[in-house]
Amino acid sequence: MAEERRGAWFGFGFCGFGQALGSGRGRQVHSPEPLRAPGAGLDVCRVSASWSYTAFVTREGGRVELSGFAVGAAGGCRDAWASEELLVVLRAGPGPGAGTELQAWAPGSALRGEPLWAQTVPEAEREDGPVGDETQAGPLPLLPCARAYVSPRPPFYRPLAPTLRARRLELGAEHALLLDAAGQVFSWGGGRHGQLGHGTLEAEPEPRLLQALQGLTMAEVAAGGWHSLCVSEAGDIYIWGWNESGQLALPTKSLAEDGKTTAEASGLNEDGSEVKTVAGGEDGAPAPFIAVQPFPALLDLPLGSDAVKASCGSRHTAVVTRTGDLYTWGWGKYGQLGHKDTTSLDRPCRVKYFVDKQLQVRTVSCGPWNTYVYAVEKEKS
């Protein structure tokens, strides 16, 4: 059996509250730097970043360490999920068969005293069916039973219809995405920026299947502030929602060369995307830009790369390819794209740091204004 290659976490972007992010010098980090997390030397297996603080979960001992505006630590934890309103942790029950205890804490509590609320949640149950057909619940905010999720706003505990057979759930600022066991995607919540993918800007009170993706099997979903993304089993990327900072990798007015230009016309494409035109194209003709994309759009990465992992920040996007490269685009004001500057991009751009250091990216986790990456050394040829 091949020995697992040594890996490390890296961070870049906003760290104005002192959250561990690379060296943590100043308010922002513009290029990936090895993470100096609390409790140096701990084997971090999960990172969940909110705007003002970050939660790190260690593999050994299940320790949660907080860094930033919220500080503190606790042991015996299986998972943690950070938001500005709540810090949610999963802790093993007191004995065999006792289930898992879900606890919600005020971020500023330092994990001391009593949680705001707590309840025992059951583990996922095996379903009758072919081997390997049972639901495998993903990380928080989806609960281990895959029948409920936790929300940062009341009601905090929200049950899901058993027919959904949830595998992963992601929360944006106003919407939710769910990936089921069959690889189908459902969305609900606010839709004013097209983030639900149903072709309108209307809200959806209950999970609704994305008809545009039917017949395609999805492997990953990611929710940004007001945009959404999914990755198919074949490695294709589908993206939709708000494109204010180029986070959909579509032409956007805010990144146009002439910042003083004004929209001359607006309308809808045949696919329902909101298109405006701005003067100043290379041939003198109006150049189109897309403000809102309410249907999933297929996005090709450079070099025909296949995607395997994805994460979205408030207005930026990060994707890991099958070969271990990291591509980022969208809003870059705090260096969260990792390209050694604060430039925003409306096209996927490979983060060269990991190429130069001969590192293979395994996973990425975006906070609203920053990015965390786990990478391992490339195999020696």
Side-chain angles (χ1 to χ4, degrees):
M1 176 181 276
E3 184 179 348
E4 177 68 18
R5 283 171 284 164
R6 181 179 177 82
W9 283 91
F10 299 80
F12 43 100
F14 178 74
C15 54
F17 291 93
Q19 53 266 62
L21 193 76
S23 65
R25 291 189 294 270
R27 293 175 56 85
Q28 50 193 259
V29 176
H30 296 167
S31 180
E33 294 182 1
L35 191 63
R36 295 184 182 177
L42 294 177
D43 185 11
V44 174
C45 63
R46 169 102 196 264
V47 176
S48 179
S50 187
W51 177 60
S52 65
Y53 73 102
T54 303
F56 303 93
V57 184
T58 68
R59 185 173 284 105
E60 189 172 336
R63 188 169 177 80
V64 171
E65 298 267 359
L66 305 182
S67 172
F69 181 77
V71 295
C77 300
R78 295 175 47 182
D79 198 3
W81 181 68
S83 72
E84 290 303 293
E85 297 85 357
L86 289 178
L87 168 66
V88 179
V89 298
L90 278 176
R91 280 178 155 159
T100 302
E101 187 173 58
L102 175 69
Q103 298 179 347
W105 297 79
S109 67
L111 291 170
R112 294 176 181 170
E114 295 296 324
L116 297 174
W117 56 270
Q119 69 181 80
T120 299
V121 294
E123 297 290 342
E125 297 178 359
R126 286 184 174 270
E127 300 180 3
D128 294 332
V131 175
D133 188 49
E134 62 270 11
T135 298
Q136 296 296 323
L140 288 171
L142 183 63
L143 298 182
C145 61
R147 296 288 185 263
Y149 67 100
V150 62
S151 167
R153 290 172 287 276
F156 300 120
Y157 182 91
R158 302 194 182 189
L160 293 166
T163 53
L164 287 175
R165 300 178 62 236
R167 192 167 92 203
R168 189 176 181 92
L169 188 140
E170 291 272 318
L171 295 180
E174 301 172 349
H175 74 296
L177 290 179
L178 182 147
L179 177 68
D180 76 0
Q184 298 183 111
V185 179
F186 295 76
S187 65
W188 67 99
R192 63 196 176 106
H193 293 293
Q195 64 264 50
L196 299 185
H198 301 302
T200 73
L201 306 185
E202 301 297 321
E204 292 287 344
E206 300 294 333
R208 177 181 170 187
L209 177 68
L210 260 73
Q211 298 285 348
L213 297 177
Q214 277 201 293
L216 301 170
T217 304
M218 297 299 151
E220 289 278 325
V221 292
W226 299 270
H227 71 292
S228 304
L229 177 151
C230 60
V231 178
S232 73
E233 284 191 340
D236 296 323
I237 300 170
Y238 295 86
I239 194 165
W240 62 95
W242 198 29
N243 193 46
E244 187 273 343
S245 298
Q247 58 263 50
L248 304 188
L250 296 171
T252 180
K253 180 182 177 181
S254 67
L255 301 186
E257 289 185 5
D258 184 0
K260 296 181 180 180
T261 55
T262 57
E264 295 184 347
S266 64
L268 292 179
N269 269 335
E270 290 182 2
D271 64 358
S273 59
E274 180 185 348
V275 175
K276 299 180 180 179
T277 57
V278 60
E282 291 183 4
D283 58 358
F289 64 84
I290 296 177
V292 170
Q293 172 70 35
F295 278 116
L298 178 64
L299 171 64
D300 292 324
L301 291 177
L303 307 176
S305 301
D306 292 335
V308 292
K309 298 285 184 182
S311 185
C312 298
S314 176
R315 286 180 283 160
H316 74 288
T317 307
V319 166
V320 179
T321 70
R322 207 176 300 279
T323 55
D325 286 325
L326 177 70
Y327 284 86
T328 61
W329 61 93
W331 191 47
K333 180 178 180 179
Y334 293 98
Q336 60 263 49
L337 303 186
H339 302 304
K340 300 182 180 180
D341 56 27
T342 57
T343 302
S344 297
L345 298 169
D346 60 5
R347 67 188 186 282
C349 185
R350 185 167 64 168
V351 179
K352 293 181 180 178
Y353 175 91
F354 298 104
V355 179
D356 295 341
K357 297 292 185 180
Q358 293 291 299
L359 294 172
Q360 187 176 49
V361 176
R362 288 284 183 83
T363 193
V364 60
S365 178
C366 293
W369 295 1
N370 52 31
T371 307
Y372 291 89
V373 172
Y374 182 74
V376 299
E377 297 176 357
K378 286 188 176 180
E379 291 180 335
K380 300 289 191 295
S381 56

